[in-house]
């Protein structure tokens, strides 16, 4: 078999399975069929001494893999804030793999570098951010915030006259990082990786929606001298809430702090006229994290680190070596903005998804997901014993069960039982979370195709589960 005929045979099987998996509508049953041990047995078919035929390998992968897939690609997925890998993005991704470009630098992958450059321009336009901000195409929000906060770390030290790149972090002036008490868990990971310990952090109180309280920031920040970073959030994972950015930037910039925005999914409201007010003012920040693989539906993995000060961004990320240096009319080197040299050509899929959705497609989808969430709220809000804990402003809902007068343990037990019932029924993929000590059913409407009919099915399941729990308690 030639290389090409083996590829064709393997790829045709993969494509047939890919198309079958991408059937429209809900995926039933919702949760993966196989147990952990079954999956181990399916995958652990032994490392062969002699390699197997390519098409047979793909057949085995399909047999094993398809037993353990989560339906975030489908309309009945409401669990984590995750995207659905737009099928045209997936098609672009297949080409990305087949082309096999190393998108480290312009010279190793000119088309990939320019696809990123152009997609970056469209992203800044859609998100209404400064057109000359610099962007890294990262693996997701975690890495995007890591990149932005590296630039922040370098720049706030530079403002104090300290050259981080020359002197190093050990012995540097202490930086204080101000962040909301409900900042996303990954922000803490990023900070740890960047050399910040808990004593560098100043936690700012939040309100019932998880929004940072600007007055508390104002009171606390005044107690610190030296370099400062303020981390805000656009889109809380339980409530969808946005930090009061106007007051935060006013206070933070008055204290020469760098303001970073974690807008992993919520930032996309800026692309929808009637929701844009929620994200108004966030453009005043210094850096922004936005995911591609959440609301934009770019296949995994995709996130954007956007930095106003390109010089600070490149200073902290740039890789310099003689074999990287290109000529003056080369396009941008992706590796100047992200921590990796060799990397996947992530720009192709982003370019393809933006072309397929267009401005109106992005708007329509986000508007529909928010309308779906309000629809669910309307159905559930007056049902006795069902409490919606957040103000439903975008696509997130936190639902608790039991009478508000019941003790917390009773309510938590009821909510957990409703979750069990929903899992047993397995018509929708849903999950719980614990928010401020309360067990919740956390609904995220973010899967590309989800529409009102899917919400009606979800609502019916929730009402039935709640009914069963009440009649059996
Ligand atoms: C999802 C999310 C993250 C982490 O994003 P990844 O893409 O999973 O790395 C960070 N912050 C917020 C607000 C999120 O919703």
């Amino acid at each position: 078999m030639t290389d090409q005929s083996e590829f064709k045979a393997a790829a045709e099987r993969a494509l047939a399975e890919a198309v079958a998996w991408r059937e429209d509508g809900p995926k039933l049953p919702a949760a993966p069929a196989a147990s952990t041990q079954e999956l181990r047995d399916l995958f652990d078919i032994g490392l062969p001494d002699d390699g197997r035929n390519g098409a047979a390998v793909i057949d085995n992968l399909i047999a094993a893999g398809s037993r353990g897939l989560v339906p975030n690609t489908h309309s009945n997925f409401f669990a984590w804030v995750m995207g659905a890998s737009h099928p045209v993005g997936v098609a672009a991704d297949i080409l990305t793999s087949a082309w096999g470009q190393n998108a480290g630098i312009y010279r190793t992958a000119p088309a990939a570098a320019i696809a990123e450059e152009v997609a970056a321009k469209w992203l800044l336009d859609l998100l209404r951010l400064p057109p000359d901000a610099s962007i890294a195409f990262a693996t997701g929000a975690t890495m995007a915030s890591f990149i932005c906060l590296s630039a922040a770390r370098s720049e706030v030290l530079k403002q104090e006259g300290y050259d981080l790149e020359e002197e190093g972090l050990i012995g540097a002036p202490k930086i204080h990082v101000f962040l909301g008490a409900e900042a996303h868990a990954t922000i803490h990971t990023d900070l740890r990786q960047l050399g910040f310990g808990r004593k560098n952090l100043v936690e700012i109180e939040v309100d019932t929606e998880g929004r940072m309280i600007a007055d508390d920031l104002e009171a606390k920040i005044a107690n610190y001298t030296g370099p400062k970073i303020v981390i805000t959030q656009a889109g809380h994972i339980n409530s969808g809430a946005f930090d009061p950015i106007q007051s935060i930037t006013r206070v933070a910039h008055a204290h020469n702090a760098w303001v970073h925005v974690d807008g992993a999914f919520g930032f996309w409201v800026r692309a929808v006229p009637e929701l844009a007010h929620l994200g108004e003012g966030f453009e005043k920040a210094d850096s922004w994290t936005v995911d591609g693989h959440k609301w934009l539906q770019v296949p995994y993995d995709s996130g954007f680190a956007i930095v106003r000060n390109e010089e600070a961004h490149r200073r902290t990320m740039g890789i310099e070596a003689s074999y990287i240096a290109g000529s003056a009319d080369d396009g941008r080197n992706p590796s100047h903005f992200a921590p990796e040299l060799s990397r996947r050509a992530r720009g192709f899929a982003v370019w393809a998804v933006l072309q397929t959705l267009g401005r109106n497609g992005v708007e329509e989808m986000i508007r529909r997901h928010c309308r779906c969430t309000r629809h669910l709220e309307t159905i559930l809000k007056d049902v006795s014993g069902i409490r919606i804990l957040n103000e439903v402003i975008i696509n997130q809902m936190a639902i608790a069960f039991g009478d508000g007068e019941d003790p917390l343990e009773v309510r938590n037990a009821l909510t957990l039982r409703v979750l069990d019932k929903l899992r047993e029924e397995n018509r929708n993929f849903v999950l719980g979370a614990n928010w401020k000590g309360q067990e919740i059913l956390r609904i995220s409407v973010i899967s590309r195709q989800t529409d009102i009919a899917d919400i009606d099915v979800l609502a019916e399941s929730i009402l039935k589960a709640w009914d069963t729990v009440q009649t059996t308690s």
Side-chain angles (χ1 to χ4, degrees):
M1 221 178 199
T2 64
D3 241 33
Q4 196 180 21
S5 62
E6 180 169 49
F7 173 56
K8 191 158 184 288
E12 277 170 1
R13 278 175 159 77
L15 188 61
E17 162 62 17
V19 172
W21 171 256
R22 299 309 299 239
E23 71 195 336
D24 290 336
K27 180 64 82 184
L28 296 168
S35 69
T36 312
Q37 193 51 49
E38 282 169 291
L39 287 175
R40 282 199 189 105
D41 295 342
L42 283 164
F43 276 100
D44 197 358
I45 52 177
L47 176 63
D49 288 333
D50 298 315
R52 295 189 162 105
N53 164 276
V57 170
I58 296 300
D59 283 344
N60 286 341
L61 175 60
I62 293 168
S66 59
R67 302 274 298 156
L69 300 179
V70 165
N72 52 295
T73 42
H74 285 73
S75 62
N76 55 335
F77 181 86
F78 302 100
W80 300 279
V81 186
M82 285 174 24
S85 291
H86 193 295
V88 179
V90 173
D93 236 12
I94 292 173
L95 270 180
T96 303
S97 292
W99 282 340
Q101 302 291 288
N102 179 345
I105 59 175
Y106 177 79
R107 285 187 162 182
T108 56
I114 299 302
E116 278 194 12
E117 188 179 296
V118 171
K121 184 176 77 177
W122 294 342
L123 286 167
L124 293 174
D125 178 17
L126 269 177
L127 297 170
R128 295 183 294 112
L129 289 176
D132 54 351
S134 64
I135 299 198
F137 284 61
T139 48
T142 307
M143 209 54 208
S145 286
F146 175 87
I147 295 167
C148 291
L149 293 169
S150 313
R153 184 182 64 175
S154 173
E155 185 61 23
V156 295
L157 286 171
K158 185 169 177 233
Q159 297 298 325
E160 297 281 315
Y162 188 85
D163 183 342
L164 176 66
E165 288 67 38
E166 186 63 25
E167 307 289 337
L169 195 58
I170 295 169
K174 187 165 181 168
I175 301 172
H176 285 98
V177 180
F178 301 80
L179 76 179
E182 296 189 10
H184 196 271
T186 54
I187 289 289
H188 289 272
T189 316
D190 288 332
L191 290 169
R192 207 160 62 227
Q193 289 171 0
L194 287 164
F196 295 105
R198 271 185 283 277
K199 287 189 176 164
N200 296 100
L201 310 188
V202 182
E203 199 174 278
I204 306 302
E205 285 169 28
V206 294
D207 67 10
T208 52
E209 301 293 314
R211 287 178 294 233
M212 189 190 285
I213 296 174
D215 285 348
D216 193 45
L217 173 68
E218 187 159 25
K220 285 178 178 158
I221 202 168
N223 299 327
Y224 296 86
T225 53
K228 300 174 194 73
I229 298 171
V230 174
I231 301 176
T232 71
Q233 187 166 252
H236 181 285
I237 53 163
N238 294 329
S239 66
F242 294 73
D243 281 344
I245 191 66
Q246 309 279 9
S247 331
I248 291 172
T249 43
R250 183 180 44 76
V251 170
H253 285 154
H255 288 85
N256 293 322
W258 175 295
V259 179
H260 173 64
V261 180
D262 176 4
F265 68 100
F267 210 73
W268 284 101
V269 299
R270 288 176 58 87
V272 185
E274 70 271 27
L275 297 171
H277 64 279
L278 296 167
E280 221 43 68
F282 281 94
E283 70 281 356
K284 292 190 184 130
D286 301 287
S287 59
W288 305 267
T289 282
V290 185
D291 255 322
H293 57 214
K294 289 182 177 170
W295 233 340
L296 191 58
Q297 319 289 327
V298 177
Y300 285 91
D301 39 26
S302 171
F304 314 112
I306 310 173
V307 182
R308 181 189 295 281
N309 179 340
E310 174 173 345
E311 202 270 315
H313 188 176
R314 292 177 66 134
R315 177 162 17 109
T316 176
M317 286 293 143
I319 299 171
E320 304 298 340
S322 60
Y323 54 86
I324 290 178
S327 64
D329 48 316
D330 278 5
R332 87 201 260 278
N333 283 343
S335 62
H336 278 150
F337 304 92
E340 308 92 353
L341 179 55
S342 299
R343 56 197 287 279
R344 184 171 183 77
R346 292 202 186 87
F348 291 138
V350 177
W351 184 94
V353 170
L354 288 172
Q355 279 291 305
T356 311
L357 289 174
R359 248 181 240 284
N360 292 337
V362 171
E363 255 184 65
E364 181 280 326
M365 175 178 61
I366 291 168
R367 184 182 292 129
R368 167 164 44 83
H369 289 157
C370 295
R371 189 172 63 234
C372 282
T373 316
R374 278 197 308 277
H375 182 63
L376 182 64
E377 179 192 28
T378 306
I379 299 174
L380 299 182
K381 74 179 186 338
D382 298 322
V383 178
S384 150
I386 297 187
R387 286 168 313 116
I388 295 161
L389 302 184
N390 65 313
E391 285 171 33
V392 178
I393 54 165
I394 50 170
N395 67 326
Q396 297 296 116
M397 245 172 102
I399 308 170
F401 296 83
D403 196 309
E405 309 289 299
D406 288 343
L408 182 64
E409 309 81 71
V410 174
R411 283 183 274 139
N412 280 350
L414 287 170
T415 302
L416 293 175
R417 285 181 58 207
V418 171
L419 279 159
D420 280 343
K421 291 287 165 215
L422 288 168
R423 267 191 293 271
E424 261 169 48
E425 189 198 29
N426 210 3
R427 205 151 53 129
N428 299 284
F429 196 99
V430 295
L431 262 176
N434 188 294
W435 189 24
K436 303 179 200 282
Q438 292 210 55
E439 298 296 337
I440 57 169
L441 163 61
R442 193 171 71 119
I443 297 293
S444 303
V445 183
I446 194 162
S447 185
R448 189 178 64 91
Q449 291 184 297
T450 303
D451 209 339
I452 295 291
D454 301 292
I455 300 299
D456 285 333
V457 171
L458 173 66
E460 191 183 300
S461 292
I462 294 173
L463 292 172
K464 195 169 100 192
W466 176 225
D467 218 41
T468 314
V469 166
Q470 283 175 293
T471 52
T472 55
S473 55

